[in-house]
Amino acid sequence: MSALLRAEGVGKSYSLRGKRVDVLQSVDLTVRPGEITALVGRSGSGKTTLLHILGLLTEPDHGRVLVGETDTSGLTDNALADVRRRRIGFVFQHYNLLPQHSALRNVAVPYVGRRAQGEERARRLLDRVGLAERACHVPGELSGGEQQRVALARALVNDPPVVLADEPTGNLDEGSERVLLGLFRELADEGRAVVLVTHNPAVSDTADVVHRLDAGALVTEGSDA
């Protein structure tokens, strides 16, 4: 299977109290369609940094990220934003919903086409995640599990081939977690590539491939392949 997302030789470091901290060291990662990939590791191991680099939200110090066959390392900011909008859906741990807008509007906002088409697609996606009847509610009127499903619907509004999620079940109860993991499995079964950062064994157990970050390096723990 062709890779939908690749990291090649990706490195990232930060300065902490005058000292250099290498968070990622020459990380290579291939993400394929139809698979859920889990990134695990202790706090501070670089999981979220790697996810943000894969999602084109953070630039690596060295190495490159390829989305399909597109090498993103030489792209302008505008071109990067376009790749991100069209080809990558990002689900944040704390939802990042617009508090003043309805669930419907939150999902529709990133849509790259006409507003009417975006709202129609947003309605279909809210129905898919079981929230059709909550479309007019603002985030403060929704539970944590509902807000996370709105965030997932928003990530799907442009039908991206890649979905990235940072600790997507971190704030959810067991029932909401089960629903969300079922949705991620559906997305992978449809041919998308799904990458989940997690501390939760239930999430990593759902994955087809598990990578552990240790001292800035990536180690493959398991694969169903």
Side-chain angles (χ1 to χ4, degrees):
M1 291 183 292
S2 299
L4 288 177
L5 184 65
R6 281 181 290 158
E8 297 182 351
V10 164
K12 188 70 176 177
S13 62
Y14 296 102
S15 178
L16 181 64
R17 292 191 288 274
K19 294 184 178 180
R20 172 173 161 159
V21 178
D22 292 317
V23 180
L24 299 173
Q25 301 183 49
S26 297
V27 168
D28 294 320
L29 175 66
T30 299
V31 181
R32 295 181 173 85
E35 291 183 347
I36 297 177
T37 298
L39 301 177
V40 302
R42 61 179 176 77
S43 295
S45 62
K47 302 185 302 298
T48 293
T49 299
L50 178 57
L51 197 73
H52 282 206
I53 288 173
L54 293 173
L56 311 181
L57 298 172
T58 298
E59 186 177 352
D61 293 337
H62 57 80
R64 63 179 187 163
V65 174
L66 292 93
V67 182
E69 297 303 315
T70 302
D71 181 354
T72 65
S73 59
L75 297 182
T76 65
D77 289 346
N78 286 340
L80 275 175
D82 190 60
V83 172
R84 190 164 54 238
R85 281 193 301 267
R86 295 176 183 275
R87 304 184 64 184
I88 299 172
F90 206 106
V91 182
F92 297 90
Q93 180 179 2
H94 298 294
Y95 325 131
N96 285 19
L97 301 178
L98 300 170
Q100 72 275 27
H101 288 303
S102 67
L104 180 69
R105 187 67 190 135
N106 266 283
V107 175
V109 161
Y111 188 66
V112 296
R114 295 180 179 177
R115 178 166 178 166
Q117 292 172 329
E119 290 191 354
E120 177 56 32
R121 178 156 177 78
R123 288 187 190 281
R124 293 199 301 269
L125 287 167
L126 286 173
D127 184 51
R128 175 173 185 174
V129 301
L131 293 174
E133 296 181 354
R134 308 287 273 168
C136 294
H137 291 254
V138 297
E141 297 170 329
L142 303 174
S143 70
E146 289 170 336
Q147 290 185 65
Q148 193 63 299
R149 280 184 279 156
V150 171
L152 176 57
R154 178 184 59 191
L156 297 173
V157 74
N158 290 310
D159 198 22
V162 178
V163 176
L164 310 179
D166 188 7
E167 294 285 2
T169 66
N171 301 308
L172 306 186
D173 59 45
E174 186 175 340
S176 296
E177 172 188 289
R178 188 164 52 249
V179 170
L180 195 65
L181 292 180
L183 290 167
F184 283 128
R185 174 47 62 190
E186 288 178 12
L187 296 176
D189 289 346
E190 292 169 359
R192 289 182 174 85
V194 179
V195 182
L196 309 176
V197 161
T198 186
H199 286 95
N200 186 341
V203 178
S204 53
D205 287 347
T206 300
D208 303 297
V209 182
V210 179
H211 297 291
R212 177 174 293 277
L213 273 162
D214 184 18
L218 203 64
V219 179
T220 303
E221 288 201 331
S223 172
D224 289 344

